[in-house]
C-alpha cells in the first residue's frame, strides 16, 4: 500500500492546486448546460484533447524536459489529472461558451485562464520549470489552440455526423 501511495505522489508540494482546479473544471464542464455543443461533441472533444494533452506531456516533460510536475521521476495523480481533466475541460467549456462572433475575445480569456493555471501550479510549487522557454511558448500555444485548432476540430466533428 505504501508503494501505491508513493507512486501516486500524494506527498508532492502544491498537489492541492491541480487537484482542485481539475475537479472544479470537470464539474463545470459536466453541469454546464450544453448550448453550443452536444454530448457527442463533448465526448469526442474530451478524447481528442485528452490524447493531445498526453502527447504534449510526453514531448514537453519527457523528451524535451522543459517542465516537471510533482516528483519528476514518477507520474502521480496530480499529473494524471492535470493532463486529463484540465485541458479537456477547458476545451469543452470554450467550445460551449464561444459563438462565432466572440472567438477572439474568448480565445484571449481562455488563454489567460490557461496561463494563470500554469502560473498557479508553479507558484504553489507543484510545477517546476526546467526551461524558461516554456513561459514564452505556452501562451502562444494556448492562443493557437483556442482560436484556431478547437474551432477546426468542432467543424470536423460536425461534418462527420
Amino acid at each position: 500500500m505504501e508503494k501505491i501511495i508513493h507512486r501516486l505522489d500524494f506527498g508532492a508540494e502544491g498537489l492541492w492546486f491541480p487537484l482542485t482546479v481539475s475537479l472544479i473544471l470537470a464539474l463545470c464542464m459536466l453541469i454546464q448546460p450544453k448550448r453550443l455543443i452536444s454530448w457527442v461533441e463533448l465526448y469526442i472533444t474530451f478524447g481528442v484533447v485528452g490524447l493531445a494533452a498526453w502527447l504534449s506531456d510526453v514531448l514537453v516533460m519527457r523528451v524535451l524536459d522543459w517542465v516537471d510536475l510533482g516528483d519528476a521521476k514518477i507520474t502521480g495523480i496530480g499529473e494524471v489529472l492535470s493532463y486529463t481533466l484540465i485541458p479537456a475541460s477547458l476545451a469543452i467549456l470554450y467550445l460551449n461558451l464561444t459563438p462565432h462572433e466572440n472567438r477572439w475575445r474568448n480565445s484571449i480569456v481562455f488563454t489567460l485562464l490557461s496561463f494563470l493555471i500554469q502560473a498557479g501550479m508553479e507558484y504553489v510549487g507543484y510545477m517546476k520549470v526546467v526551461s524558461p522557454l516554456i513561459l514564452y511558448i505556452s501562451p502562444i500555444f494556448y492562443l493557437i489552440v483556442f482560436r484556431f485548432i478547437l474551432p477546426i476540430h468542432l467543424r470536423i466533428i460536425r461534418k462527420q455526423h
Side-chain angles (χ1 to χ4, degrees):
M1 185 64 163
E2 186 176 316
K3 186 174 181 162
I4 292 171
I5 291 173
H6 172 72
R7 297 292 306 162
L8 290 174
D9 201 17
F10 281 124
E13 180 183 354
L15 177 63
W16 64 270
F17 187 81
L19 293 179
T20 304
V21 170
S22 297
L23 294 176
I24 289 170
L25 288 173
L27 283 172
C28 288
M29 170 196 61
L30 290 172
I31 64 173
Q32 177 189 45
K34 307 304 171 263
R35 297 183 324 186
L36 299 175
I37 63 171
S38 68
W39 278 100
V40 170
E41 292 162 345
L42 180 148
Y43 182 74
I44 293 168
T45 300
F46 191 90
V48 169
V49 172
L51 174 64
W54 276 99
L55 291 174
S56 72
D57 169 55
V58 168
L59 179 65
V60 170
M61 296 176 67
R62 307 285 185 245
V63 176
L64 299 173
D65 194 29
W66 286 354
V67 174
D68 291 327
L69 295 182
D71 185 338
K73 295 178 181 83
I74 59 175
T75 301
I77 190 72
E79 188 174 345
V80 170
L81 293 177
S82 293
Y83 278 96
T84 304
L85 294 179
I86 294 175
S89 297
L90 284 171
I92 290 163
L93 289 167
Y94 170 80
L95 290 173
N96 194 43
L97 292 172
T98 306
H100 183 71
E101 58 273 6
N102 292 341
R103 278 210 189 125
W104 272 110
R105 184 195 62 166
N106 283 6
S107 297
I108 292 169
V109 168
F110 274 81
T111 295
L112 289 172
L113 179 60
S114 299
F115 191 71
L116 285 173
I117 292 169
Q118 177 182 324
M121 283 195 199
E122 188 175 5
Y123 180 77
V124 300
Y126 186 70
M127 182 173 103
K128 287 129 189 108
V129 175
V130 178
S131 170
L133 188 59
I134 197 75
L135 299 174
Y136 301 106
I137 291 175
S138 58
I140 296 166
F141 174 76
Y142 297 145
L143 185 61
I144 291 169
V145 167
F146 287 117
R147 179 58 187 95
F148 301 106
I149 295 174
L150 286 175
I152 291 169
H153 159 79
L154 190 58
R155 269 187 261 138
I156 292 169
I157 294 172
R158 288 182 174 162
K159 284 184 180 178
Q160 299 303 316
H161 80 278

